[in-house]
């Protein structure tokens, strides 16, 4: 297979295993390129990409922008803070306005679940979901799996713990879909208040104890608590959260193996991870960032291939 | 107008002609003859329609027509035409207007809009002033002006003491209090059912728990006050169970269910289609089954379309930003008949809701007022945009296969056909 089975990247839910394999194969190639002295390829010289960020983002936006530039695409950036969205313009109108300027691909982050899907049904461009509410963040899940594959050789059969705020996390959901598709085993861990009631029906297990889940896993993907999505405190204090679910060296030293520590960023140092863990050799957090560019280059490149030119 | 309905099958279990095929003669609004063969008198219009059935006129207890305030969605005059062509001779209109219906003159405004219409319009007044859930509205005064029940549509009464007082006070004039079943604190940010689907879509949810908690609270208040309560549009299996137990205890509680909660589930949300964003949210197949059983065994007293036209500007948006509601008058009969059967479907639209909301009893018999719905229960079709009569297109039934088509109504001496 040398072509994706989808026209847009809305969620991992819509992908097949072969799509992921193809994206990884392509990303391998781009990763090699971005480590050359001349990091740029002319592949997308005639493609224009709009980055629409209706929600704050630093690393994802930079990562996409860098990926687009490395592919030589023309880009326009748009963020809600400086846009007419605040003046009451609808999402369709904003997107259509940008499309009238002949944009081929839209990369969008939006606070509402389903926004990327909505856009794909209403505007004529390839859509890449850069995070829609608590729904999906497909490129993050792809780069996470890619990083696991790079570190451990394969994702299949690996034991992955996802720890933290699962309820409000698009990263968790996309990771679950991606890891299941590749045959990994998954356990979720975190305060019960932050675990969706029906999540185990997705074929994942829940483990309440941080120590037990760390002992079990090969990889711990640690998530941030998303205070901004909460209408009420789901636990009494950050201090108490850290007591129950913060990972520190002492806990890691107590288990008999070197597990891989991942984090999609931004890290709240001293809350979910102590600095000595985040900066340790076990942590592949910065590899994730580097792989993010390669993965996004691959996704953009593969979707752009499908545009008739 | 005098009308002769030729070879119609009569569906009215209180009538001597139930399930019989007869000719029916209506003179000046009164059924004057029901016989095997009636020859057409002078000055009479003869109606012959394929597989024509008649029942007592249907009554929908939860309809929104936008006016006043949201005329871009629907207005009363056109809304009543939609109702008539969908088989309804009576509708209770919700107070989800702007301004709301929380005082006598607002009720009178609605009543005046429907004068001399084929369809009887019955306003539901707000239970609380400005629908804010803080102070009771003057609902005795509104009842005297024609309002038949009192509630804040799909806004729950959060203050238990306020509902307690309303349930006590309404007993002085036999008022019907309605309480929307949603406990707010357990569903603050939610807008879809809590399920595997909401989990997969990452959507904030309204758990079944939120509805059931409120119903439990309301039933306790009802028992304490010995009042009379209507719970509109229940949606979960446990709600059916709770109400069944309450009725067994002798509490004066009634409830309705919407057509969409009988036949659709939250599986429909997979494509983030805002036409399926309704309140209460669509639930599971298990809930569908329990609700259907509830209608069949009499626990659920009536079926409503909860017809709620919403303009495209408030539907063609992201799911979270879309307004709740589906239109339903046009599709209700065709959607519920396959699951309830003809007799129960008709019952759930006629006798029981009329009795609970205090409307006069209808009967298909000589000398009775002709208040009839004309339909063909066998016709099967796929519901498409062409079948929509409303000014708004937000139907959760688009693309669904329905069984049973409506020809129209005869009511208030007027014949309205599609």
């Amino acid at each position: 297979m040398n072509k994706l089975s989808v026209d847009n990247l809305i969620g991992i839910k819509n992908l097949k295993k072969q799509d992921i394999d193809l994206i990884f194969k392509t990303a391998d190639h781009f990763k090699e390129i971005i480590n050359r002295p001349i990091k740029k390829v002319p592949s997308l010289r005639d493609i224009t990409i709009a980055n629409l960020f209706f929600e704050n983002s630093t690393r994802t936006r930079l990562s996409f922008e860098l990926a687009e530039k490395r592919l030589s695409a023309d880009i326009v950036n748009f963020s809600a803070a400086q846009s007419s969205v605040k003046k009451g313009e609808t999402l369709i109108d904003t997107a259509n306005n940008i499309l009238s300027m002949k944009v081929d691909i839209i990369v969008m982050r939006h606070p509402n679940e389903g926004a990327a899907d909505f856009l794909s049904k209403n505007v004529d461009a390839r859509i890449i979901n850069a995070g829609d509410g608590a729904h999906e963040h497909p490129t993050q899940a792809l780069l996470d799996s890619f990083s696991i594959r790079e570190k451990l050789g394969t994702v299949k059969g690996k034991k992955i713990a996802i720890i933290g705020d699962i309820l409000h996390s698009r990263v968790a959901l996309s990771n679950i879909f991606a890891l299941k598709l590749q045959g990994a085993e998954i356990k979720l861990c975190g305060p019960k208040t932050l675990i969706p009631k029906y999540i185990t029906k997705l074929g994942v297990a829940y483990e309440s104890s941080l120590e037990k889940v760390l002992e079990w896993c090969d990889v711990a993907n640690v998530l941030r608590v998303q205070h901004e999505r909460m209408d009420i405190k789901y636990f009494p204090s950050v201090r108490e959260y850290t007591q129950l679910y913060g990972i520190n060296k002492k806990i890691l030293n107590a288990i008999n193996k070197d597990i891989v520590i991942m984090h999609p960023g931004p890290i709240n140092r001293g809350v979910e991870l102590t600095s000595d863990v985040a900066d340790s050799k076990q942590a592949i957090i910065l590899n994730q960032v580097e792989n993010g560019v390669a993965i996004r280059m691959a996704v953009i490149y593969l979707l752009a291939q499908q545009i008739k030119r | 107008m005098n009308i002769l309905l030729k070879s119609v099958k009569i569906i009215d279990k209180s009538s001597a002609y139930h399930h019989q095929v007869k000719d029916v003669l209506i003179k000046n609004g009164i059924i004057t003859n029901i016989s095997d063969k009636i020859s057409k008198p002078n000055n009479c219009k003869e109606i012959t329609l394929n597989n024509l059935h008649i029942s007592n006129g249907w009554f929908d207890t939860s309809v929104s027509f936008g006016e006043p305030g949201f005329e871009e969605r629907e207005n009363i005059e056109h809304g009543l035409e939609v109702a008539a062509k969908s088989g309804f001779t009576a509708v209770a209109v919700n107070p989800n207007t702007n301004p709301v219906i929380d005082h006598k003159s607002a009720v009178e405004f609605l009543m005046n809009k429907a004068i001399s219409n084929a369809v009887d319009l019955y306003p539901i007044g707000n239970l609380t002033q400005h629908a804010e859930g803080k102070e009771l509205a003057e609902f005795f005064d509104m009842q005297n002006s024609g309002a038949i029940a009192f509630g804040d549509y799909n806004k729950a009464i959060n203050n238990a003491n306020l509902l307690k007082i309303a349930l006590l006070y309404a007993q002085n004039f036999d008022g019907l209090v309605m309480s929307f079943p949603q406990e707010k604190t357990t569903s603050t940010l939610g807008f879809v059912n809590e399920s595997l689907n909401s989990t997969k879509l990452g959507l904030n949810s309204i758990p079944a728990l939120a509805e059931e908690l409120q119903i439990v609270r309301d039933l306790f208040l009802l028992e304490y006050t010995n009042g009379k309560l209507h719970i509109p549009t229940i949606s979960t299996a446990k709600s059916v169970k709770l109400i069944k137990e309450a009725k067994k205890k002798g509490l004066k509680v009634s409830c309705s269910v919407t057509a969409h909660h009988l036949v659709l589930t939250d599986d429909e949300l997979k494509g983030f289609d805002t036409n399926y964003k309704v309140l209460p949210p669509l639930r599971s197949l298990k809930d569908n089954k329990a609700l259907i059983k509830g209608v069949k065994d009499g626990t659920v007293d009536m079926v409503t379309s909860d017809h709620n036209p919403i303009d495209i500007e408030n539907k063609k948006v992201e799911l979270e930003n879309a307004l709740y509601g589906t239109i339903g008058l046009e599709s209700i009969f065709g959607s519920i008949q396959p699951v309830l059967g003809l007799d129960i479907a008709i019952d759930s639209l006629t006798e029981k809701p009329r009795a609970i909301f205090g409307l006069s009893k209808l009967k298909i018999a000589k000398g009775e007022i002709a208040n009839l719905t004309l339909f063909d229960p066998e016709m099967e079709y796929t519901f498409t945009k062409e079948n929509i009569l409303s000014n708004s297109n937000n139907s959760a039934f688009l693309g669904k296969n329905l069984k049973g088509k409506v020809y129209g109504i005869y009511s208030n001496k007027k014949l309205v056909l599609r």
Side-chain angles (χ1 to χ4, degrees):
Chain A
M1 199 167 90
N2 56 9
K3 193 171 169 289
L4 291 177
S5 69
V6 292
D7 296 329
N8 305 289
L9 182 62
I10 306 297
I12 301 292
K13 242 197 308 283
N14 316 103
L15 296 184
K16 298 186 168 71
K17 169 77 167 58
Q18 293 93 309
D19 292 317
I20 295 185
D21 292 341
L22 176 63
I23 293 168
F24 285 0
K25 211 175 92 190
T26 315
D28 282 336
H29 175 62
F30 284 127
K31 179 149 185 185
E32 186 261 314
I33 287 174
I34 57 178
N35 281 297
R36 287 181 193 166
I38 295 169
K39 302 174 173 63
K40 203 163 169 166
V41 288
S43 317
L44 303 189
R45 265 206 316 225
D46 52 346
I47 292 287
T48 308
I49 302 175
N51 298 311
L52 311 189
F53 279 74
F54 294 90
E55 206 180 52
N56 288 336
S57 162
T58 308
R59 65 200 62 224
T60 303
R61 192 166 55 79
L62 279 179
S63 180
F64 267 109
E65 212 176 309
L66 205 55
E68 291 153 6
K69 285 182 170 163
R70 297 268 189 264
L71 290 167
S72 305
D74 291 321
I75 59 177
V76 283
N77 288 316
F78 167 98
S79 69
Q82 46 195 264
S83 80
S84 48
V85 175
K86 295 224 161 127
K87 298 170 199 155
E89 190 171 68
T90 64
L91 174 56
I92 287 193
D93 286 336
T94 305
N96 274 333
N97 271 297
I98 291 168
L99 278 183
S100 301
M101 303 169 196
K102 309 289 176 218
V103 167
D104 304 292
I105 297 176
I106 294 179
V107 174
M108 182 171 77
R109 167 164 292 189
H110 197 280
N112 292 132
E113 297 80 14
D117 178 80
F118 174 80
L119 201 64
S120 72
K121 287 172 182 159
N122 288 291
V123 303
D124 184 24
R126 308 283 154 159
I127 311 295
I128 298 174
N129 182 5
D132 60 332
H135 178 219
E136 286 229 37
H137 191 354
T139 55
Q140 179 69 46
L142 289 168
L143 76 89
D144 287 348
S145 286
F146 187 76
S147 303
I148 294 169
R149 168 179 169 272
E150 187 179 69
K151 181 82 180 173
L152 302 177
T154 177
V155 175
K156 193 173 178 187
K158 297 298 174 207
K159 294 174 174 162
I160 317 290
I162 304 176
I163 300 163
D165 180 357
I166 311 297
L167 184 65
H168 299 101
S169 175
R170 52 193 172 214
V171 175
L173 205 52
S174 284
N175 256 288
I176 290 170
F177 294 136
L179 294 167
K180 292 289 291 180
L181 210 53
Q182 296 168 88
E185 260 188 89
I186 305 165
K187 277 191 185 178
L188 307 176
C189 178
K192 266 212 131 162
T193 53
L194 293 174
I195 306 293
K197 186 173 164 67
Y198 295 95
I199 196 89
T200 51
K201 288 194 175 180
L202 289 174
V204 300
Y206 170 69
E207 171 56 62
S208 169
S209 153
L210 178 67
E211 286 76 9
K212 279 189 189 162
V213 89
L214 291 176
E215 254 170 51
W216 169 84
C217 72
D218 302 311
V219 176
N221 195 350
V222 187
L223 306 179
R224 180 177 69 87
V225 175
Q226 308 224 354
H227 296 285
E228 70 276 17
R229 292 187 197 279
M230 297 181 185
D231 57 322
I232 188 174
K233 280 190 172 176
Y234 283 69
F235 45 84
S237 66
V238 170
R239 196 175 141 263
E240 208 161 291
Y241 179 87
T242 305
Q243 283 174 8
L244 272 164
Y245 293 104
I247 300 178
N248 55 43
K249 261 288 176 212
K250 195 175 146 214
I251 297 173
L252 287 183
N253 288 340
I255 56 177
N256 297 325
K257 54 182 180 182
D258 264 1
I259 60 167
V260 178
I261 302 288
M262 300 174 70
H263 195 299
I267 308 169
N268 292 309
R269 286 177 181 256
V271 181
E272 64 266 14
L273 290 178
T274 52
S275 282
D276 50 0
V277 173
D279 301 332
S280 70
K281 277 188 187 158
Q282 281 173 271
I284 58 166
I285 299 166
L286 294 176
N287 305 57
Q288 287 174 267
V289 177
E290 183 187 343
N291 290 336
V293 177
I295 281 288
R296 287 172 179 125
M297 283 174 81
V299 168
I300 294 165
Y301 174 79
L302 290 167
L303 285 178
Q305 272 193 326
Q306 301 183 12
I307 298 171
K308 280 189 192 129
R309 296 189 254 173
Chain B
M1 192 200 294
N2 297 334
I3 304 275
L4 176 61
L5 299 171
K6 291 297 286 179
S7 28
V8 296
K9 190 165 189 180
I10 295 165
I11 307 294
D12 174 11
K13 66 177 197 253
S14 68
S15 164
Y17 306 102
H18 187 40
H19 279 266
Q20 295 180 23
V21 178
K22 298 282 177 189
D23 287 359
V24 177
L25 182 63
I26 301 163
K27 280 187 174 169
N28 204 23
I30 305 290
I31 299 171
T32 56
N33 193 3
I34 301 177
S35 303
D36 287 337
K37 280 267 175 301
I38 303 173
S39 39
K40 185 168 116 39
N42 292 334
N43 299 327
C44 182
K45 186 174 177 179
E46 188 177 293
I47 304 285
T48 310
L49 289 164
N50 186 45
N51 194 29
L52 179 60
H53 286 55
I54 58 169
S55 70
N56 288 314
W58 302 345
F59 170 43
D60 193 326
T61 56
S62 179
V63 165
S64 304
F65 283 154
E67 190 175 354
F70 303 107
E71 289 82 356
E72 69 279 15
R73 299 176 190 168
E74 188 57 280
N75 59 66
I76 292 170
E77 191 187 353
H78 186 255
L80 290 174
E81 190 187 326
V82 174
K85 290 180 176 173
S86 304
F88 290 85
T89 63
V91 290
V93 290
N94 293 313
N96 54 339
T97 51
N98 183 23
V100 297
I101 312 300
D102 64 350
H103 55 285
K104 171 184 163 171
S105 57
V107 172
E108 286 170 350
F109 167 81
L110 295 175
M111 302 287 290
N112 286 334
K113 281 272 173 183
I115 285 175
S116 74
N117 201 292
V119 180
D120 296 321
L121 179 149
Y122 297 99
I124 293 171
N126 278 105
L127 186 68
T128 69
Q129 291 176 29
H130 314 297
E132 283 173 349
K134 289 178 186 155
E135 306 271 348
L136 289 182
E138 290 183 335
F139 61 106
F140 170 62
D141 204 26
M142 286 194 276
Q143 179 159 306
N144 285 338
S145 300
I148 54 166
F150 306 92
D152 290 345
Y153 185 47
N154 61 15
K155 289 168 95 172
I157 309 292
N158 300 327
N159 183 335
N161 195 41
L162 190 73
L163 184 62
K164 185 194 88 180
I165 290 167
L167 287 168
L168 286 168
Y169 181 61
Q171 292 174 48
N172 292 109
F173 47 91
D174 199 25
L176 181 61
V177 172
M178 297 167 69
S179 170
F180 185 75
Q182 186 184 359
E183 199 283 321
K184 285 301 278 185
T185 64
T186 48
S187 54
T188 331
L189 300 175
F191 52 94
V192 300
N193 182 40
E194 181 182 54
S195 68
L196 179 59
N197 287 323
S198 69
T199 306
K200 277 184 184 170
L201 299 172
L203 298 171
N204 280 318
S205 60
I206 302 174
L209 174 75
E211 176 168 315
E212 293 145 6
L213 273 179
Q214 192 81 347
I215 289 179
V216 167
R217 183 202 77 169
D218 289 359
L219 292 173
F220 268 78
L221 291 169
L222 188 63
E223 188 169 13
Y224 177 87
T225 57
N226 195 27
K228 188 169 74 174
L229 179 69
H230 178 67
I231 302 175
T233 63
I234 64 167
S235 70
T236 81
K238 204 176 268 178
S239 298
V240 178
K241 188 166 167 256
L242 289 166
I243 290 168
K244 189 170 189 165
E245 284 162 5
K247 284 187 165 181
K248 217 168 168 184
K249 261 202 229 168
L251 299 190
K252 292 185 279 273
V253 60
S254 59
C255 67
S256 67
V257 64
T258 74
H260 42 276
H261 285 104
L262 290 179
V263 297
L264 303 177
T265 69
D266 66 350
D267 282 351
E268 305 281 358
L269 286 164
K270 276 175 191 156
F272 296 95
D273 187 337
T274 58
N275 281 340
Y276 300 108
K277 183 176 174 182
V278 290
L279 192 67
L282 294 176
R283 305 279 186 191
S284 69
L285 199 59
K286 181 174 143 252
D287 296 304
N288 289 162
K289 284 183 182 162
L291 289 160
I292 290 168
K293 190 160 170 272
V295 177
K296 287 184 173 172
D297 71 17
T299 305
V300 180
D301 301 279
M302 63 201 79
V303 181
T304 166
S305 66
D306 199 15
H307 183 80
N308 194 359
I310 303 290
D311 50 308
I312 192 165
E313 285 75 17
N314 282 300
K315 276 294 189 185
K316 199 175 176 181
V317 289
E318 307 87 321
L319 192 63
E320 187 174 348
N321 298 336
L323 294 184
Y324 291 112
T326 172
I327 55 170
L329 284 171
E330 299 97 319
S331 51
I332 180 170
F333 180 61
S335 61
I336 65 171
Q337 200 214 169
V339 293
L340 295 178
L342 179 59
D343 285 358
I344 292 174
I346 297 295
D347 227 30
S348 72
L349 296 172
T350 53
E351 197 180 332
K352 286 189 85 178
R354 288 187 76 93
I356 286 159
F357 280 74
L359 275 53
S360 62
K361 191 172 160 42
L362 303 173
K363 190 175 176 182
I364 301 179
K366 284 176 206 168
E368 294 286 336
I369 291 173
N371 184 320
L372 304 170
T373 297
L374 286 63
F375 58 96
D376 169 8
E378 300 302 327
M379 167 119 57
E380 295 186 33
Y381 65 107
T382 302
F383 190 80
T384 63
K385 277 202 171 148
E386 281 69 54
N387 301 110
I388 291 178
L389 303 168
S390 302
N391 281 343
S392 296
N393 282 338
N394 57 306
S395 171
F397 288 95
L398 284 169
K400 304 291 176 202
N401 294 323
L402 307 186
K403 186 183 174 196
K405 207 152 191 177
V406 172
Y407 288 123
I409 58 166
Y410 182 90
S411 162
N412 294 336
K413 302 182 186 176
K414 291 184 178 72
L415 177 72
V416 183
L417 292 179
R418 238 181 135 136

